[in-house]
Amino acid sequence: MNLERAATDETQTETHWPRRVEALRRVLVLACGALAREILSLREGPLGAFDVTCLPASLHNRPERIAEAVRGKIRAHRARYDEIFCLYGDCGSGGALDRVLAEEGVARIEGPHCYAFYAGEAEFAAMMDTEPGTFFLTDFLARHFGRLVIEGLGLDRFPQLRDDYFRHYRRLVFLAQTDDPELTERAEAAALRLGLAFERRFTGLGGIERFLRSTVDAGADRVRREAPARPGIVAVEEGKKWPI
């Protein structure tokens, strides 16, 4: 029951994590809940000087709602932050998310979805050229495959629909962010359940790390260089001190 509860919380709950390091400007990263663990794993040292707010990963089941949900979060938080960045792909919104972000003046990571963030857009395109019938899993999707795919598509109640849904798929590619044998086993079991060939590719955190370092981290460096010298001002994180 506890594991089931944890899975429910991680896929459906809105979450917020305050910055771990104080800084001269206030930055919010607004992201999909499916990326929360990966973003938080990067908040080390000076890169930790931003807040994270995530919308529920289950919004992917209703992509037409993503754009306005993001707009709502931007407007709810704008007054408290100097800058907001968006860690979402288009994710099936049909361009609506980019229109909202343009109207709100918020930059987002490049790419149509998290598979492209992790693998890199060129590598993702090459995989699709090699086999258009590819179904992808990330660490998050491998962890919550039963809930988001099996239950989400109703295959727990109507297993005969599997062949209709996956008729044109040939393989499952697990884009692994971590070297986790248990997640690899889950991904391989998912491929077996869907009747697909299995392939694993280690990606690490890919474009997510590059995006955060080129926006949040680079912006913080710029502010530190331009700000007047303030001797003795430091930020404290878990007993460590980082000049700002």
Side-chain angles (χ1 to χ4, degrees), residues 28 30 68-80 84 100 103-104 106:
L28 176 68
L30 173 57
E68 288 305 317
V70 169
R71 189 199 300 276
K73 284 294 184 183
I74 292 171
R75 293 187 174 181
H77 290 285
R78 189 190 300 280
R80 295 197 295 275
I84 298 175
V100 163
E103 292 167 4
E104 300 294 336
V106 171

Side-chain angles (χ1 to χ4, degrees), residues 59-235:
L59 268 178
H60 284 286
N61 292 333
R62 299 298 301 271
E64 73 279 5
R65 297 181 178 177
I66 290 175
E68 288 305 317
V70 169
R71 189 199 300 276
K73 284 294 184 183
I74 292 171
R75 293 187 174 181
H77 290 285
R78 189 190 300 280
R80 295 197 295 275
Y81 292 94
D82 299 306
E83 198 159 14
I84 298 175
F85 297 107
C86 183
L87 254 172
Y88 254 99
D90 178 76
C91 297
S93 76
L97 178 59
D98 281 335
R99 290 191 291 274
V100 163
L101 294 176
E103 292 167 4
E104 300 294 336
V106 171
R108 80 164 174 90
I109 189 172
E110 292 185 359
H113 39 62
C114 59
Y115 311 133
F117 303 163
Y118 289 134
E121 292 193 69
E123 179 63 20
F124 178 80
M127 285 189 284
M128 292 301 293
D129 286 343
T130 299
E131 176 51 80
T134 301
F135 186 78
F136 292 93
L137 290 183
T138 61
D139 282 12
F140 181 87
L141 288 174
R143 191 177 296 114
H144 300 293
F145 175 80
R147 178 170 185 80
L148 293 177
V149 179
I150 299 302
E151 293 180 23
L153 294 177
L155 296 177
D156 54 328
R157 291 169 291 126
F158 307 103
Q160 68 275 15
L161 292 177
R162 184 198 74 170
D163 293 341
D164 292 328
Y165 285 138
F166 294 93
R167 184 184 310 279
H168 300 294
Y169 287 91
R170 299 289 178 268
R171 67 173 177 175
L172 182 151
V173 174
F174 174 39
L175 302 174
Q177 285 73 71
T178 56
D179 278 318
D180 187 328
E182 181 183 351
L183 285 182
T184 298
E185 288 180 10
R186 291 190 182 195
E188 194 163 8
L192 182 63
R193 184 161 187 178
L194 298 179
L196 304 176
F198 177 72
E199 182 179 334
R200 178 187 182 273
R201 297 196 183 197
F202 180 77
T203 66
L205 299 181
I208 291 179
E209 182 172 9
R210 290 191 293 273
F211 176 75
L212 291 175
R213 293 198 179 280
S214 67
T215 53
V216 177
D217 203 15
D221 286 342
R222 184 178 66 253
V223 170
R224 283 193 291 269
R225 289 195 303 270
E226 296 173 353
R230 300 169 66 188
I233 302 297
V234 296

